[in-house]
């Protein structure tokens, strides 16, 4: 599992004896749901939830640095996809996805006397992708002898730190537990359900630069276009390293 993407491999299974042919082509993908956008707001913005500060709880999945900025101004938020949102509807595939997330944070100014704003936050999120079940047949005929599930899920346990001193900086980490189930060829040569339970870590930084506020703070003069009309210009910068972990092994 590399820093940015999950490796995918296609295995072509060829059996010399047609009587023992359980499956001809098996598509093996190591937790592809880790690359899906999990935020409804982010989906509507073309997957930009990692870069733009937001109070959407699911944004922490794309960039845990969101949790740090969230803690400066918010106490609690929760978000969810409509249960079992259909994926790839144009292809009429039975794939569904559900996401739930919640964040809690507190500005430390409420508890401590600090010369600048600082906040801490924690969060939890879960993503589940269901691709249905495969029927397992034996070498003697097409009669099903079992089923194999194909689903992917992961849980994030998140922590974040926010700082506000001229610029707003959010730093965060996701600790991720993954469960992947898919049909495939077992070690004994039979076709059935394979399971992998790897773990991974995300690290994210999100910086929000409120340009008019900085100019006003440095110059000591309010930056106004006219009475009651103030300019708004925020620049956002981010760095995210997702899904850092070891090998994904199915058994």
């Amino acid at each position: 599992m590399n820093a940015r993407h999950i490796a995918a491999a296609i295995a072509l299974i060829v059996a010399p004896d047609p009587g023992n042919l359980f499956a001809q082509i098996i598509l093996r993908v190591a937790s592809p749901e880790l690359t899906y956008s999990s935020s409804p707001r982010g989906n509507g913005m073309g997957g930009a939830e990692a870069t733009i500060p937001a109070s959407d709880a699911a944004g922490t999945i794309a960039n845990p640095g969101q949790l740090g900025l969230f803690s400066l101004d918010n106490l609690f938020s929760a978000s969810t996809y409509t249960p079992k949102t259909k994926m790839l509807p144009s292809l009429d595939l039975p794939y569904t996805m559900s996401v739930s997330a919640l964040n809690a944070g507190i500005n430390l100014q409420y508890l401590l006397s600090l010369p600048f704003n600082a906040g801490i936050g924690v969060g939890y999120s879960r993503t589940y992708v269901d691709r249905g079940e495969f029927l397992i047949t034996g070498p003697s005929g097409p009669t099903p002898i079992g089923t194999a599930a194909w689903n992917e899920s992961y849980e994030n346990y998140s922590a974040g730190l926010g700082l506000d001193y001229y610029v707003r900086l959010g730093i965060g980490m996701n600790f991720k537990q993954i469960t992947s189930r898919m049909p495939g060829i077992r070690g004994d040569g039979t076709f059935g359900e394979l399971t992998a339970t790897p773990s991974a870590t995300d690290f994210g930084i999100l910086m929000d630069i409120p340009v008019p506020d900085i100019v006003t703070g440095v110059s000591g003069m309010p930056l106004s276009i006219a009475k009651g009309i103030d300019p708004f210009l925020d620049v956002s910068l981010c760095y995210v390293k997702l899904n850092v972990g070891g090998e994904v092994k199915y058994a």
Side-chain angles (χ1 to χ4, degrees), residues 41-66:
R41 177 180 182 271
N43 281 338
M45 301 175 66
E49 67 265 45
T51 306
I52 301 174
S55 58
D56 178 9
T60 303
I61 300 174
N63 184 351
Q66 291 273 17

Side-chain angles (χ1 to χ4, degrees), residues 91-138:
L91 300 181
D92 197 28
L93 295 174
Y95 298 172
T96 59
M97 180 176 184
S98 60
V99 181
S100 57
L102 57 89
N103 291 337
I106 186 169
N107 191 314
L108 295 179
Q109 286 282 16
Y110 295 126
L111 306 174
L112 305 172
S113 178
L114 298 174
F116 53 87
N117 276 326
I120 55 174
V122 294
Y124 170 80
S125 57
R126 183 178 186 272
T127 299
Y128 178 78
V129 177
D130 186 1
R131 295 182 176 82
E133 291 187 335
F134 282 68
L135 293 177
I136 301 175
T137 59

Side-chain angles (χ1 to χ4, degrees), residues 23-35:
Q24 289 185 328
I25 298 178
I26 304 298
L27 177 63
R28 295 188 176 182
V29 183
S31 298
E33 83 286 349
L34 295 174
T35 64

Side-chain angles (χ1 to χ4, degrees), residues 5-77:
H5 301 287
I6 306 303
I10 299 177
L12 180 63
I13 309 300
V14 180
D17 181 2
N20 294 322
L21 187 63
F22 292 102
Q24 289 185 328
I25 298 178
I26 304 298
L27 177 63
R28 295 188 176 182
V29 183
S31 298
E33 83 286 349
L34 295 174
T35 64
Y36 300 162
S37 175
S38 300
S39 165
R41 177 180 182 271
N43 281 338
M45 301 175 66
E49 67 265 45
T51 306
I52 301 174
S55 58
D56 178 9
T60 303
I61 300 174
N63 184 351
Q66 291 273 17
L67 183 57
L69 290 186
F70 167 88
S71 67
L72 294 172
D73 303 312
N74 303 275
L75 294 175
F76 179 81
S77 74

Side-chain angles (χ1 to χ4, degrees), residues 60 64-65 67-68 103-104 120-124 156-161 171-175 202 204:
T60 303
L67 183 57
N103 291 337
I120 55 174
V122 294
Y124 170 80
N156 278 329
Y157 300 89
S158 308
L161 171 66
I171 302 171
M173 294 188 71
N174 290 331
F175 303 94
D202 303 335

Side-chain angles (χ1 to χ4, degrees), residues 212 216 221-233:
T216 297
M221 299 177 59
L223 187 62
S224 298
I225 298 175
K227 185 177 181 180
I229 302 176
D230 298 323
F232 176 85
L233 175 62

